[in-house]
Amino acid sequence: SYVLTQPPSVSVAPGQTARITCGGNNIGSKSVHWYQQKPGQAPVLVVYDDSDRPSGIPERFSGSNSGNTATLTISRVEAGDEADYYCQVWDSSSDQGVFGGGTKLTVL
Amino acid sequence: EVQLVESGGGLVQPGGSLRLSCAASGFTVSSNYMSWVRQAPGKGLEWVSVIYSGGSTYYADSVKGRFTISRDNSKNTLYLQMNSLRAEDTAVYYCARLSAAGRPTPTGTSYYFDYWGQGTLVTVSS
């Protein structure tokens, strides 16, 4: 089955840029989606189709995907961005959803 | 407004059964792809199962043969029947709607979870 690898944690100061990576074999050939989850809450979609944003998600959230790495970039990080972030792909060969292990973003 | 409301969670003994429900509003369950995703305490998200609009169903290897996803079109509700429960099935279970990604890829159509319920906690313990 397809495996997605994320760093367990990323730390960034307020106002700086956070980059959260998601590694997978030739992930650039897949569409990658990203979710934000705050404690005690359900996940929220923040980026889909590598780089598109759902309505209501700030432009500070962006995504890219190439080669073996997809990246979620959060510009001008705010305290309210502190959360767990998960990448996800759909494995069409097995009709299964696949999530990365998640990355805890800490705002210093 | 799209809403998903799960129910049916609780405490169950190992080997027992439980049926989760997910009542949808604002859209038609039978016309969409629907999934269950779970999250063990302090752990990450784990995809569990999907039912396509055509009725095909697929499962994670960890639950195959024990869990069954289904829907009741008249009630616009998604279900997850869980049998032979184990301690490792302890988790918050979320239902979620799937949408198709627009970008064509060599590996086929991709799907993402655009709406989620609030989750229901299942605890398997003696």
Side-chain angles (χ1 to χ4, degrees):
Chain A
S1 59
Y2 194 76
V3 176
L4 296 174
T5 302
Q6 297 182 237
S9 63
V10 168
S11 298
V12 64
Q16 298 305 303
T17 298
R19 295 179 178 84
I20 299 172
T21 59
C22 177
N25 183 35
N26 196 26
I27 196 173
S29 67
K30 299 180 178 294
S31 280
V32 179
H33 321 295
W34 293 90
Y35 304 86
Q36 176 194 69
Q37 186 182 35
K38 296 182 178 179
Q41 298 183 19
V44 173
L45 179 71
V46 292
V47 167
Y48 66 97
D49 227 355
D50 294 341
S51 58
D52 291 338
R53 279 184 314 276
S55 60
I57 301 300
E59 291 183 6
R60 300 186 297 105
F61 288 81
S62 62
S64 62
N65 183 20
S66 179
N68 293 316
T69 304
T71 303
L72 174 70
T73 301
I74 309 172
S75 304
R76 302 180 299 282
V77 166
E78 304 173 356
D81 298 330
E82 191 163 278
D84 293 326
Y85 291 84
Y86 295 90
C87 59
Q88 176 253 319
V89 299
W90 191 262
D91 187 348
S92 296
S93 65
S94 60
D95 292 287
Q96 295 189 345
V98 181
F99 286 98
T103 298
K104 180 176 181 58
L105 175 66
T106 299
V107 181
L108 300 171
Chain B
E1 179 191 9
V2 171
Q3 278 197 323
L4 295 166
V5 179
E6 301 96 336
S7 60
L11 175 63
V12 61
Q13 292 188 338
S17 298
L18 210 57
R19 189 179 80 157
L20 306 183
S21 300
C22 172
S25 58
F27 72 101
T28 302
V29 165
S30 61
S31 299
N32 284 269
Y33 291 6
M34 300 293 298
S35 253
W36 289 95
V37 176
R38 70 183 180 182
Q39 186 171 36
K43 303 297 184 182
L45 301 173
E46 180 188 15
W47 176 82
V48 173
S49 181
V50 64
I51 182 167
Y52 289 158
S53 53
S56 298
T57 59
Y58 298 90
Y59 301 90
D61 291 344
S62 57
V63 307
K64 199 174 297 181
R66 300 187 299 122
F67 289 12
T68 302
I69 190 172
S70 64
R71 66 192 181 208
D72 184 328
N73 298 345
S74 66
K75 295 182 178 179
N76 208 33
T77 297
L78 179 73
Y79 300 101
L80 185 68
Q81 177 67 44
M82 304 185 295
N83 299 330
S84 303
L85 283 162
R86 308 165 179 167
E88 55 264 36
D89 296 319
T90 294
V92 173
Y93 285 73
Y94 298 99
C95 67
R97 190 182 79 169
L98 286 157
S99 280
R103 180 172 79 88
T105 73
T107 54
T109 302
S110 180
Y111 298 93
Y112 57 91
F113 306 94
D114 59 353
Y115 288 96
W116 298 67
Q118 85 288 351
T120 187
L121 176 62
V122 172
T123 303
V124 184
S125 175
S126 55

